[in-house]
Amino acid sequence: MAATRGEPDPQPPLSSSSASEIHVRVNSRRAIHPVNIPTPPPAAAAASPVVFREVKHFRSWVPWLVPTFVVANTVMFIITMYVNDCPKNSVSCIARFLGRFSFQPLKENPLLGPSSSALQKMGALEARRVVDRHQVWLLVTCIWLHGGVFHILANMLSLLVIGIRLEQEFGFVRIGLLYMISGLGGSLLSALFLKSNISVGASGALFGLLGGMLSELIINWSIYTNKVAAFVTLLSIIVLNLAVGILPHVDNFAHIGGFLSGFFLGFVFLIRPQFGWISQRYAPPGYLTTSVISKFKKYQCVLWISSLIIFIVGFTAALVLLLRGFDANDHCSWCHYLSCVPTSRWSCNSNLGSCNSTQFGSQLNLTCLTNGKSSMYTLPDATSSQIEGLCSQLCS
């Protein structure tokens, strides 16, 4: 973010005989910010050396959790490709020299990745399985799966750029919770709207980090300089990324749900104390202050309490509605445009294809029930995975 942390307003200079200065480390780059302390008695001032102390609320953390998330997502993608085993389960594959790690045909998966059936086996999000079979864990497992090479590259690069900076600033506990809960919030909203498709990816959690960055800037507004420019820049990035979600085959409901979760949680997890309170707390013994400064400003407390209530109520309501089989599309006829806007160049119909199949010896006849197309294949003893892959291509 372009904003830099400001310092407390300097007080009038004091003479060397009557003033003492304490230097407190207060930002992640370990820069030293002077904090003026009220004048002590002359004897104490003469005996008090300059003290250097690090403020724990602004310490710099060594990022390890975000890189671990990147490794975990990469490992899960490799395992998914191993389970996919394109040469065995599909008629044609891309990069067949990779063996069982080769990719599905581009017509079936343009992201260079596995088949839908492989993603389903690994734990892709399907609303009907969550509701009818009570497989609630799919709301979490889908966060660690990706649809292809392009998909995981885009998400992991974004996670490194955004997540490492946040982990350095706020530590692995808060950022880890923000990431996971935001991903879960994205899955909840996705399952409430997308009833016939599967959904995978960490982008809901990533949008949660973006939402957290925005709320962190708002709740810590008084300690930033260049705050308006930072706010406009960050908001433009968020709007641009959400706008990309109106393209087909992109689950923008997961993006929106993750962003809203991260936005409200950011007020709770990423709040910082004001500098005046820090000056008092880290003052050496013997220094007297004229007034007691509260740790947080009133507007910070209001935002913290209201955001926590809104998140708990919204998250609980979404989970209860989902488990009861609630279909949000029945109550919002225009909401589907938030995830895809149809144009003359593309269609928003991304439902999984369904086909009738007939096997005569080595001849397999498929008819797509979605578009009415039929095709004949020479494929003796076709497996269900092969038929599903061919059906997906025929219906696309």
Side-chain angles (χ1 to χ4, degrees), residues 28 92 121 158 180 187 320 328 334:
S28 63
S92 60
K121 291 177 183 177
S158 299
M180 290 303 303
S187 297
V320 171
W334 56 269

Side-chain angles (χ1 to χ4, degrees), residues 76-108:
M76 287 303 300
F77 181 72
I78 294 173
I79 294 175
T80 303
M81 293 306 302
Y82 181 86
V83 171
N84 183 63
D85 195 2
C86 182
K88 178 181 178 182
N89 298 314
S90 300
V91 177
S92 60
C93 302
I94 295 177
R96 188 174 283 272
F97 64 89
L98 294 174
R100 66 185 300 151
F101 295 98
S102 56
F103 310 112
Q104 298 298 121
L106 288 177
K107 197 170 184 180
E108 179 182 350

Side-chain angles (χ1 to χ4, degrees), residues 232-313:
V232 172
T233 301
L234 183 56
L235 192 62
S236 301
I237 293 173
I238 293 170
V239 171
L240 179 62
N241 279 275
L242 287 174
V244 174
I246 66 175
L247 296 173
H249 308 296
V250 178
D251 184 3
N252 213 29
F253 289 117
H255 297 172
I256 296 172
F259 172 78
L260 292 176
S261 299
F263 180 73
F264 289 116
L265 286 174
F267 289 116
V268 178
F269 290 155
L270 308 183
I271 187 173
R272 288 190 188 276
Q274 55 179 320
F275 277 118
W277 177 85
I278 293 174
S279 299
Q280 287 186 347
R281 181 177 176 83
Y282 289 88
Y287 287 91
L288 302 177
T289 56
T290 57
S291 61
V292 178
I293 300 176
S294 61
K295 185 175 182 179
F296 301 109
K297 293 181 178 292
K298 289 183 179 179
Y299 83 90
Q300 289 181 298
C301 297
V302 171
L303 286 174
W304 193 94
I305 295 173
S306 58
S307 297
L308 182 61
I309 294 174
I310 291 172
F311 174 78
I312 292 176
V313 171

Side-chain angles (χ1 to χ4, degrees), residues 134-146:
H134 306 291
Q135 297 178 355
V136 184
W137 60 84
L138 297 179
L139 296 169
V140 177
T141 55
C142 66
I143 303 172
W144 304 95
L145 302 176
H146 287 83

Side-chain angles (χ1 to χ4, degrees), residues 7-13 34 36:
E7 303 174 7
D9 294 333
Q11 299 178 3
N36 290 320

